[in-house]
């Protein structure tokens, strides 16, 4: 391979497609991952994650000789950090992966290099990494460029969005911003928006917090409407006829690795100031708890009326419709919670996008809907729309399957 111009650190859902795209543009990429299986899979021209068109992109990039994976970084001109940023026990952001990735490349840095963080990060992370780098290599101060550039692709459409989405690019100084913009211009056709590193970091957190707050509004409405005897789906449809109102749809909570996580990065740092953002997280978490309580109440009412335990179909585990991703999924939490007080009634757990689960015994959605006394829609998967339900079956629809 040509000597690498770019080193990407982290070959997951974001780092791998980004690496393939850069390599496809004729820029040699050395992709680094601490997971040997990932490295071996990529070097064989294959992929370890599910993402349309990624297999072809990686196969071509590896075959062309422009993309190679390794467990260790090598010297390059540009370093791209795309490692996980989860939260710790108390919802505190964990930037230890970003720090480990940065430490790994400090010995390789030279004058003129560009260092970019793409991992979703708390405000100030890029500056922290700059301080770390200069504490170990003080002679590089003012001689390298450092920037933050968040990723906002939609899983399932990553190969398209990586190229076409607008990007926000924030350097620690103007020269860093310009250098990072020139880097992305090589393979991004969306608009590039310059700013500083702290604003770019906050921009990513703001985007997902905005979604969380708006969903919390819909979820709060759904609980109010339940008490008031109003169909929330009809209510939202009607309210949205207002030319300047656009309320989102309620669900059984909020999940996934972005919207349910990123707002905590703001709350942890600015707890007194982030009152709506913190409250939205509480409301969305509470919605899942509320749904579990509704199931419990319906079960008790059935027992009293029929003198036996009901069969209950729990429809969906994923964090949103038509995917197989269960990360932070409120439906999974609800299922775990209601199973805690399972007696001899039978629960049928359904997730049409997964064949087998390590913990839950899964049932085909048609069979579950046929035999259940209570059908609980937790996720609006397309398979559930149009299922025929008899008069004797009670339906708890937390996600609008029967109302869309
Ligand atoms: N997946 C998304 O849709 C998405 C969207 C926007 C932003 N992000 C952000 O992008 C970042 C990466 O997310 P992802 O979904 O690609 O994660 P991922 O878990 O799919 O991949 C991360 C990879 O990094 C590797 N890794 C961990 N520590 C490492 C180290 N020190 N050196 C080398 N490799 C290391 C892991 O083995 C893993 O393969 C996160 O901050 C995430 O919040 C993700």
């Amino acid at each position: 391979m040509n000597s690498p111009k770019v080193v990407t650190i982290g070959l997951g859902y974001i780092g791998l497609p980004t690496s393939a795209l850069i390599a496809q543009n004729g820029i040699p990429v050395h992709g680094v991952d601490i997971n040997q299986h990932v490295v071996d899979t990529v070097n064989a021209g294959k992929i370890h994650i599910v993402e349309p068109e990624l297999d072809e992109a990686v196969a071509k990039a590896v075959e062309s000789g422009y993309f190679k994976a390794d467990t260790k970084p090598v010297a390059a001109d540009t370093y791209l950090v795309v490692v996980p940023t989860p939260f710790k026990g108390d919802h505190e952001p964990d930037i230890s992966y970003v720090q480990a990735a940065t430490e790994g490349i400090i010995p390789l840095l030279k004058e003129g290099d560009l260092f970019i963080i793409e991992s979703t990060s708390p405000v100030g992370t890029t500056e922290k990494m700059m301080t770390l780098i200069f504490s170990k290599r003080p002679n590089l101060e003012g001689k390298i460029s450092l920037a933050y550039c968040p990723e906002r692709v939609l899983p399932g459409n990553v190969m398209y969005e990586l190229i076409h989405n607008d990007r926000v690019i924030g350097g620690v100084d103007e020269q860093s911003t310009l250098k990072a913009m020139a880097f992305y211009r090589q393979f991004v056709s969306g608009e590039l928006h310059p700013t500083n590193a702290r604003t770019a970091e906050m921009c990513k957190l703001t985007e997902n917090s905005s979604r969380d707050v708006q969903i919390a509004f819909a979820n709060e409405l759904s609980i109010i409407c339940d008490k008031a005897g109003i169909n929330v789906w009809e209510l939202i449809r009607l309210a949205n006829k207002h030319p300047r109102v656009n309320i989102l749809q309620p669900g059984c909570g909020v999940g996934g690795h972005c919207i349910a996580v990123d707002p905590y990065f703001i709350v942890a740092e600015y707890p007194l100031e982030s009152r709506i953002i913190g409250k939205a997280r509480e409301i969305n978490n509470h919605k899942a708890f509320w749904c579990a309580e509704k199931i419990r109440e319906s079960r008790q009412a059935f027992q009293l009326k029929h003198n036996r335990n009901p069969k209950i179909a729990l429809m969906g585990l994923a964090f949103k419709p038509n995917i197989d991703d269960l990360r932070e999924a409120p439906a999974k939490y609800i299922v775990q919670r209601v199973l805690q007080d399972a007696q001899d009634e039978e629960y049928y757990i359904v997730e049409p996008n997964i064949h087998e689960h390590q913990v839950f015994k899964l049932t085909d959605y048609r069979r579950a809907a046929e035999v259940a006394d209570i059908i609980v829609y937790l996720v609006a998967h397309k398979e559930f729309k149009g299922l025929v339900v008899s008069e004797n079956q009670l339906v708890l629809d937390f996600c609008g399957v029967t109302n869309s």
Side-chain angles (χ1 to χ4, degrees), residues 9-15 32-35 38 48-49 82-85 97 100-101 118-121 151-155 204 257-258 262 327:
I9 304 158
L11 297 175
Y13 284 96
I14 302 298
V32 180
D33 204 290
I34 43 171
N35 184 334
V38 171
H48 62 289
I49 49 179
V82 207
V83 293
T85 40
Y97 296 85
E118 284 202 3
S119 300
T120 302
S121 300
E151 185 47 71
R152 40 163 76 131
V153 291
L154 180 72
K204 171 70 189 172
H257 50 285
C258 287
D262 300 353
R327 284 181 287 177

Side-chain angles (χ1 to χ4, degrees), residues 6 18-19 21-25 27 80 118 162-164 167 180-190:
V6 176
T18 303
S19 304
L21 175 65
I22 299 170
Q24 273 180 347
N25 281 270
I27 305 162
L80 213 56
E118 284 202 3
L162 268 181
I163 301 170
H164 295 95
R167 301 291 294 249
M181 302 239 322
F183 170 69
Y184 282 100
R185 188 39 79 225
Q186 298 174 97
F187 55 93
V188 172
S189 67

Side-chain angles (χ1 to χ4, degrees), residues 317-318 323-326 350-358 362:
L317 287 172
I323 58 163
D324 65 354
D325 193 340
L326 308 191
V350 168
E351 179 41 72
N353 297 296
I354 292 180
H355 293 304
E356 233 180 289
H357 190 269
Q358 285 180 334
L362 300 178

Side-chain angles (χ1 to χ4, degrees), residues 70-83:
D70 197 354
T71 53
K72 295 266 176 290
V74 294
D77 301 328
T78 299
Y79 298 87
L80 213 56
V81 176
V82 207
V83 293

Side-chain angles (χ1 to χ4, degrees), residues 280-292:
R281 281 283 67 240
E282 273 177 40
I283 291 168
N284 286 330
N285 287 340
H286 172 71
K287 182 68 193 287
F289 173 81
W290 182 88
C291 293

